[in-house]
Amino acid sequence: MISTQRTFSGSSPSQSPRSPSGQPFLSVSVTDPVKLGNGVQAYISYRVMSKTNMPEYQGQEKIVIRRYSDFVWLRDRLADKFKGIFIPPLPEKSAVEKFRFSAEFIEMRRQALDVFINRVASHTELKQSEDLRIFLQEDEETMERTRSQETGIFKKKPSEFMQIFKEVQSKVSDVVLGKEKPVEESSPEYEKLKHYIFELEDHLAEAQKQAFRLVKRHRELGQSLSDFGKAIKLLGACEGESLGKAFSELGSKSEMISMKLQKEAHNLLMNFEEPLKDYVRAVQSIKVTMTDRANAFRQHYELAETIRLKEINLDKLTLMRSDRAGEAEIEFRELKTESEEATRRYETIVKLMNEELARFQEQKTAELGLAFHEFAKGQAKLSHDIADAWRSLLPKLGVSS
């Protein structure tokens, strides 16, 4: 079975705060889910324990209580501040009320949250985040106050709101007037990356779908064998001693194999289907970063084009010795500074994405390789146990016949 606390390059959960190596480390565990509240107000809280020797953290070990919305807050903050980095995904919020508090769903979510926070804690850049430190160290009251602060469009200043309105108005005008779509990056390398990401998402989603079917098949077969075992035992009770005993043995073996199938179904769900589903979510996070890159490229390109036109206009005004030349030059310089910043943002995202993709590939190879290895090993053991169980019955059934 794969450990439910999977770790990644850069994390060292086995180190203690007194590690003689002295290397900075941060390890986190998410445990002890507890249901709090009632009705629609009910939610699950988790015990989050962190161990570290990083100087910006208060103490070597800290335990806090967090809920799912706290994890969402952290991920949103990281996504806003670390453009170009593949922010680890979170598990989806259950849309089906009756499954929200089932033991299986709670354990799947706990495992996924553990994977998420350890991915963040093991990332070279993300683990330096002040938001991560707040998440891991502040008390529940401070965390709630921080998380509940208004964000988004209703928190923006009037000037920022007007800028959003103008941008939307401009986009609507472009559609109405039939203007060309915004320019998009189209280098061969980037086209190859986009093709790979979209193809990977499709193949991972299909693999996860088939893994789900395997889990379902194991469960259904296990339930059928359990029902068959009970029925054959009742049948044995109506027969003579020899045949009745054989039927009883057959029923017991059926129920025993049923339990093995149900156990393997759970292992498949937690350690095979869930990792595949997690990687589907990870690819979706990569696509969000690709959108950030596209927006940065568009801004970089549009500002460069605007500067080119402004420079032509400035040269014209200078030659004409116009009174507006001074004002145009100031505007040109301000725009040039803004354009240079936009170019730096775009180039930074490109650089980070290249580094992130290499890290993602290495991580994916290791984790999915382990998941498939454990899947094959589990199936081999299950088949062996089932064959042994049926084989042990043959002499007894042969005698009764």
Side-chain angles (χ1 to χ4, degrees):
M1 181 187 298
I2 303 173
S3 169
T4 58
Q5 185 170 323
R6 300 193 296 276
T7 57
F8 308 90
S9 56
S11 64
S12 304
S14 61
Q15 284 182 285
S16 73
R18 297 180 178 82
S19 175
S21 67
Q23 293 295 319
F25 77 94
L26 174 61
S27 67
V28 190
S29 63
V30 179
T31 60
D32 302 339
V34 176
K35 181 182 177 182
L36 299 173
N38 297 298
V40 294
Q41 301 297 323
Y43 65 93
I44 303 296
S45 70
Y46 304 88
R47 181 175 179 265
V48 179
M49 182 173 72
S50 57
K51 294 182 180 181
T52 185
N53 60 359
M54 295 171 66
E56 56 267 37
Y57 282 74
Q58 301 168 0
Q60 297 174 334
E61 185 173 311
K62 183 77 173 181
I63 296 174
V64 294
I65 303 300
R66 294 291 180 257
R67 56 189 295 185
Y68 179 77
S69 52
D70 295 322
F71 287 86
V72 173
W73 171 86
L74 175 61
R75 191 188 187 284
D76 288 347
R77 298 283 289 185
L78 294 175
D80 186 55
K81 294 181 179 180
F82 291 88
K83 301 296 184 184
I85 288 177
F86 301 161
I87 307 300
L90 282 171
E92 302 90 347
K93 192 164 187 173
S94 176
V96 184
E97 182 66 25
K98 68 178 181 178
F99 294 139
R100 281 182 61 208
F101 301 113
S102 69
E104 186 172 83
F105 176 80
I106 290 171
E107 174 55 21
M108 283 194 298
R109 171 167 283 186
R110 184 209 62 77
Q111 177 175 306
L113 293 176
D114 189 279
V115 170
F116 162 78
I117 199 65
N118 273 284
R119 279 183 171 160
V120 173
S122 68
H123 193 285
T124 307
E125 298 295 329
L126 299 182
K127 72 179 179 183
Q128 307 295 333
S129 166
E130 173 63 12
D131 294 313
L132 176 61
R133 189 202 64 75
I134 290 172
F135 177 88
L136 293 176
Q137 295 229 303
E138 296 297 341
D139 59 48
E140 289 72 57
E141 185 179 339
T142 303
M143 184 72 233
E144 173 66 22
R145 190 166 57 249
T146 302
R147 185 175 60 81
S148 62
Q149 289 176 348
E150 280 191 85
T151 57
I153 193 168
F154 298 107
K155 188 67 175 177
K156 292 181 180 294
K157 298 175 183 177
S159 59
E160 293 175 324
F161 183 85
M162 287 304 299
Q163 181 60 34
I164 292 173
F165 177 75
K166 288 178 181 178
E167 288 174 0
V168 172
Q169 190 179 46
S170 175
K171 289 177 181 177
V172 172
S173 297
D174 287 349
V175 172
V176 173
L177 297 174
K179 292 184 179 180
E180 293 183 3
K181 293 180 180 179
V183 66
E184 294 183 358
E185 185 180 357
S186 59
S187 67
E189 294 81 5
Y190 191 50
E191 288 299 318
K192 183 178 178 181
L193 170 62
K194 288 195 290 185
H195 177 76
Y196 166 73
I197 292 301
F198 282 94
E199 193 173 55
L200 178 63
E201 182 181 28
D202 288 342
H203 294 327
L204 282 169
E206 181 62 23
Q208 186 264 320
K209 176 183 174 182
Q210 299 307 324
F212 170 80
R213 292 180 64 186
L214 278 172
V215 172
K216 185 179 179 182
R217 178 181 176 276
H218 279 64
R219 283 178 168 167
E220 289 175 346
L221 181 56
Q223 185 60 52
S224 295
L225 276 170
S226 177
D227 294 341
F228 172 73
K230 291 181 176 69
I232 208 70
K233 278 183 173 181
L234 291 173
L235 179 61
C238 299
E239 299 292 340
E241 183 177 342
S242 177
L243 188 58
K245 187 176 180 181
F247 280 4
S248 178
E249 288 274 357
L250 178 59
S252 296
K253 289 293 182 184
S254 296
E255 290 175 335
M256 183 269 287
I257 293 171
S258 168
M259 288 188 289
K260 287 183 178 293
L261 282 162
Q262 295 292 358
K263 181 179 179 181
E264 183 58 23
H266 180 74
N267 289 341
L268 280 174
L269 174 66
M270 302 302 294
N271 303 315
F272 189 60
E273 185 196 348
E274 277 299 303
L276 285 170
K277 188 186 293 184
D278 182 62
Y279 266 94
V280 172
R281 294 191 292 256
V283 171
Q284 291 166 353
S285 291
I286 293 174
K287 289 168 69 176
V288 171
T289 306
M290 291 167 66
T291 300
D292 291 337
R293 173 171 173 165
N295 291 335
F297 175 81
R298 193 172 298 125
Q299 187 178 29
H300 146 76
Y301 178 88
E302 290 174 353
L303 280 170
E305 283 296 296
T306 303
I307 282 178
R308 185 178 65 82
L309 296 175
K310 292 287 185 181
E311 188 171 23
I312 292 171
N313 183 57
L314 177 59
D315 290 342
K316 187 188 299 183
L317 292 173
T318 302
L319 286 173
M320 294 170 59
R321 297 185 179 181
S322 170
D323 294 340
R324 293 164 50 203
E327 182 182 339
E329 184 174 359
I330 293 172
E331 185 181 356
F332 172 77
R333 287 177 179 173
E334 290 176 349
L335 198 61
K336 188 175 181 182
T337 299
E338 186 180 348
S339 176
E340 289 171 350
E341 179 58 32
T343 301
R344 279 194 294 272
R345 280 197 301 270
Y346 165 68
E347 290 175 346
T348 298
I349 288 177
V350 171
K351 177 177 177 292
L352 287 172
M353 276 193 70
N354 290 337
E355 294 171 355
E356 288 290 285
L357 188 62
R359 185 184 62 83
F360 171 78
Q361 294 279 40
E362 181 181 352
Q363 175 183 294
K364 175 171 63 68
T365 299
E367 290 187 3
L368 291 187
L370 177 60
F372 279 95
H373 176 270
E374 293 298 315
F375 162 74
K377 189 166 73 173
Q379 292 297 293
K381 184 178 186 306
L382 178 65
S383 298
H384 182 270
D385 290 348
I386 290 175
D388 280 351
W390 290 134
R391 194 178 294 115
S392 69
L393 270 178
L394 293 177
K396 299 172 184 178
L397 293 175
V399 169
S400 67
S401 63

